Amino acid sequence: MNAQHQDILDFVAQQAPFNALPDSTSDYFCHHLEVIYVTRENQHLWLDSAHPKLFLIRSGVVELVSPDGDAIARLTSGDYFGYPSLLSGEAIKNRIEVKQEALVYVLNQQDFDYLRREYKAFEQYFVRAHSNRLLSTKFQHHSDSWSERKIADLMTRQPVTLTPEATIHTCAQTMSDHRVSSIMVVQGQPMEQRLIGVVTDRDLRSRVLAKGVDPQQSISEIMTKNPKYIFENNRVFSAMHLMLKHNIHHLPVLNEHHQPMGMVTSTDLLRQQKSDPVQLIGRIYKASGIADLKRYAQEVPELLDGFAYHIDDISLIGKLLSGISDALTTRLIQLFQQQHGDAPTRFSWICFGSQAREEQTLHSDQDNGLLLPNDLTPEQMDYFKRMGEFVCEQLDVCGIVRCPGNIMASNEQCRLTLKDWLAKFSKWLATPTPEAMLNCKIFFDLRFITGSSDLFADFSEALSALKPDQLFYRALASELNLNSVPIGLFNQLKTEADEQHHKFIDLKRRGIVIINDIVRLYALQANIRYASTLERLDALTKTQFLSKKDIFDLKDCWRYLTQLRLHAQLDSEQLPSNCINPDRLTSLERHQLKEAFYLVRQAQQAASFKFARGSL
């Protein structure tokens, strides 16, 4: 063996997947490869649909570029390209751009297919790489549609702020000088400022001019205190939803440290592409009666069918459907109060499960409750009993069916005072029975919808103070093993069958629920109060409980399985809810499904092991 061949062999043997395979695979690769030198002048010659090949970069820098000109990935020594077409048989759509002239090893399709047949781990590596490429490309390079844009993308100027001691005259002058229609009122040192209020041009008209208020008074007298706000990394859709829900036209934007970043207005959002889903939510908030709400709710399936195939981030579908449920709930509560009078005391309408996680589908049922102040009178309790029964009944009329487990505000066990809710949670944490663990998986996915945000904040703070012991986490982790991914011997998909002998895999029960359970377990341990699975995973990146790679894999698997689940629900095939027929998938899609289940099983086993031995 000459020195050059040995050098190539040494390099190849160090690269994945060869470093985890028998030496014979590296030797085969080296005996069948072609060595090429890729430059800017000849870069267009190598990606050919008629002759797809596997490329391994030895040195240099190459960018993979989409047909639209977007950079998909920057590839350097040890990176591969060309394998998607080898796996799928589809035409090559991307191109390469050489950033630094590259020495590349090339394997033709016949030899690539030989290694796939002979070494299962070789094939799994490239199927997984292709799946990750598809997902990361999809979610890192978003379209220009409103649904994919973050609020931070709309920010064009620094925040215009004043302290509460500033006069109304100064406020009006500042707004005129900066040509803005609102001011953020802040307290604290420049690097530690906190938002405490907002003054808008409408406030100056209605609260100052219309009432003859002295312009030398401080703006603290006329500002809107504790205003609604949004974080810079939230999406435009979330801002639209918040403005519609609360009928506001100015929304402060904060960074993750709760420091002011700027202001977005309804005018800013109207400049974005208009959306039928947002318009539907707006109509729901303005509905005049039950008949209107029922008619609007009937539009959802058709609307979703047209909307689902035109967005990149599948998690937005869950947010959309949960937003519609939130809007229906809020409007029903308002209609109830119009008929029966204002609530006799403050209350918080809360939701659990998929609605709380903002992960609803077309087939999601109700999971809701009422949080009430302590020491209510029988008359006050009767008012909220009637409210709970009315809202849950009308949600059912609108197509959000009743919860089979009766987790609804119409049930007195889900219509409790602050003290009683805390007692219930404390009991579950102290006595981790199977029933308690099931309740924890439902009720710890918790979100406020409408009513008193202060009451809900008190509840959340008290919940955070509850500290489960290690026995609780072990019990919750043991629940993970009661459900398994549908992969059997020889990495084959395990299907079930209905009465008509239709084969299917339940994507929710055998995949998505397992991911939700894993992430919830880590989030509870880290005292993360977000309900959304993806938000919990983002928050976990700031902890030591999960590696960034594990978090990336879980997010990708969740998105992939959720996307398959949604498309199955929109499909006309008669299968149980949340299920797919794997025979209808392409060969590559089946490979990707197996890979997703494989990664979920790894995370499931790792979590069970970590919590069982108390290492967290």
Side-chain angles (χ1 to χ4, degrees), residues 517-528:
D517 289 348
I518 293 168
V519 176
R520 182 188 304 106
L521 180 59
Y522 284 107
L524 286 173
Q525 176 73 19
N527 203 24
I528 292 168

Side-chain angles (χ1 to χ4, degrees), residues 245-400:
K245 180 176 182 179
H246 298 286
N247 192 28
I248 54 179
H249 303 280
H250 297 81
L251 193 59
V253 181
L254 310 181
N255 64 19
E256 62 180 11
H257 302 295
H258 287 250
Q259 295 167 340
M261 295 292 294
M263 185 83 73
V264 293
T265 68
S266 54
T267 303
D268 295 330
L269 299 185
L270 286 173
R271 293 194 188 105
Q272 309 305 308
Q273 181 178 347
K274 291 186 178 180
S275 155
D276 286 339
V278 173
Q279 292 173 3
L280 174 62
I281 291 174
R283 281 185 283 145
I284 289 173
Y285 279 122
K286 297 175 182 178
S288 59
I290 303 298
D292 284 345
L293 289 178
K294 183 179 179 181
R295 186 171 69 255
Y296 297 153
Q298 290 172 344
E299 298 179 20
V300 173
E302 183 178 355
L303 174 67
L304 187 63
D305 194 15
F307 182 67
Y309 295 94
H310 294 89
I311 64 167
D312 288 337
D313 189 346
I314 199 67
S315 67
L316 189 68
I317 296 296
K319 288 184 179 294
L320 166 64
L321 290 172
S322 299
I324 290 172
S325 295
D326 289 359
L328 288 168
T329 301
T330 301
R331 189 57 184 148
L332 285 169
I333 290 172
Q334 292 169 349
L335 292 173
F336 177 84
Q337 292 191 92
Q338 287 178 12
Q339 184 176 353
H340 299 279
D342 291 341
T345 183
R346 61 181 185 154
F347 69 94
S348 298
W349 189 282
I350 52 181
C351 62
F352 310 102
S354 61
Q355 186 178 356
R357 295 192 305 272
E358 297 184 282
E359 297 166 10
Q360 283 191 289
T361 70
L362 283 172
H363 300 159
S364 293
D365 53 32
Q366 296 182 46
D367 284 307
N368 52 52
L370 267 167
L371 169 65
L372 304 170
N374 296 326
D375 304 320
L376 295 186
T377 66
E379 292 77 13
Q380 291 171 329
M381 289 298 293
D382 180 68
Y383 177 93
F384 291 113
K385 175 179 182 292
R386 288 182 285 123
M387 174 189 282
E389 291 173 344
F390 172 82
V391 173
C392 293
E393 178 182 353
Q394 298 307 324
L395 284 173
D396 185 51
V397 168
C398 291
I400 307 176

Side-chain angles (χ1 to χ4, degrees), residues 205-255:
R205 293 194 303 271
S206 61
R207 298 179 182 178
V208 179
L209 292 176
K211 296 186 176 181
V213 173
D214 183 355
Q216 295 306 313
Q217 287 193 29
S218 67
I219 55 175
S220 61
E221 299 297 323
I222 64 156
M223 70 182 184
T224 299
K225 299 178 181 178
N226 301 317
K228 304 297 179 184
Y229 57 82
I230 197 165
F231 292 106
E232 60 178 328
N233 288 324
N234 289 143
R235 300 203 184 267
V236 171
F237 169 79
S238 299
M240 287 180 168
H241 183 195
L242 200 58
M243 286 183 170
L244 287 167
K245 180 176 182 179
H246 298 286
N247 192 28
I248 54 179
H249 303 280
H250 297 81
L251 193 59
V253 181
L254 310 181
N255 64 19

Side-chain angles (χ1 to χ4, degrees), residues 170-212:
T170 300
C171 177
Q173 187 65 53
T174 303
M175 290 169 62
S176 177
D177 292 343
H178 289 270
R179 297 184 179 181
V180 295
S181 57
S182 61
I183 287 283
M184 301 172 74
V185 185
V186 298
Q187 274 187 334
Q189 299 300 315
M191 299 303 293
E192 299 177 355
Q193 287 184 341
R194 290 292 182 269
L195 177 73
I196 64 169
V198 166
V199 178
T200 69
D201 52 4
R202 183 177 179 180
D203 294 330
L204 295 178
R205 293 194 303 271
S206 61
R207 298 179 182 178
V208 179
L209 292 176
K211 296 186 176 181

Side-chain angles (χ1 to χ4, degrees), residues 86 108-118 122:
L86 289 170
N108 65 34
Q109 178 152 22
Q110 180 179 346
D111 295 322
F112 179 82
D113 289 343
Y114 171 81
L115 289 174
R116 286 181 67 187
R117 290 193 305 270
E118 295 297 317
F122 178 89

